[in-house]
Amino acid sequence: QVQLVESGGGLVQAGGSLRLSCAASGRTFSTYTMGWFRQAPGKEREFVATISWRGGTTYNADSVKGRFTISRDNAKNTLYLQMNSLTPEDTAVYYCAAGGVGAVVTTYRYWGQGTQVTVSS
């Protein structure tokens, strides 16, 4: 089992950047595919990015390609999401998740509590 805690959210102006972190507990972090998802008010939770257990394979949603970068440091049990060129459409609660398959939200077993990202225009 793994517990996940996100941090790094906040309020930023359009065009700005934020870096989200997800600290994981447990010895099995390095064995899990990890993902970032987000949920805006009134909308379903959607896929943002995923990374393989070694970090060699990443995949981003079309809406964030070229702007967001997912990475991980298995020695530190930490997942990251670097977000650049933010727009108001990126406003959402961002969640990290572990133990799933690619972009399929329903396959992820473990979830953090989420961190709010608000982008002002």
Side-chain angles (χ1 to χ4, degrees):
Q1 189 170 354
V2 61
Q3 293 182 328
L4 306 171
V5 179
E6 302 96 335
S7 62
L11 174 64
V12 64
Q13 290 187 333
S17 298
L18 282 175
R19 188 193 196 199
L20 304 184
S21 298
C22 174
S25 64
R27 299 179 181 179
T28 57
F29 171 81
S30 62
T31 67
Y32 286 122
T33 292
M34 298 294 296
W36 285 101
F37 297 82
R38 66 186 182 185
Q39 188 166 17
K43 295 187 177 181
E44 293 186 352
R45 192 166 300 187
E46 67 173 5
F47 166 74
V48 174
T50 185
I51 187 167
S52 61
W53 65 280
R54 279 189 174 180
T57 302
T58 63
Y59 177 67
N60 288 1
D62 287 344
S63 58
V64 305
K65 280 182 180 177
R67 301 188 299 123
F68 290 11
T69 302
I70 188 171
S71 63
R72 67 191 297 165
D73 186 336
N74 286 343
K76 295 182 178 180
N77 276 12
T78 304
L79 177 73
Y80 303 100
L81 185 68
Q82 178 66 44
M83 306 187 294
N84 299 328
S85 302
L86 286 160
T87 73
E89 288 69 36
D90 296 316
T91 295
V93 177
Y94 283 71
Y95 299 90
C96 67
V101 179
V104 185
V105 61
T106 55
T107 65
Y108 281 78
R109 297 166 60 187
Y110 305 109
W111 292 85
Q113 83 290 348
T115 186
Q116 176 70 47
V117 171
T118 303
V119 185
S120 63
S121 58

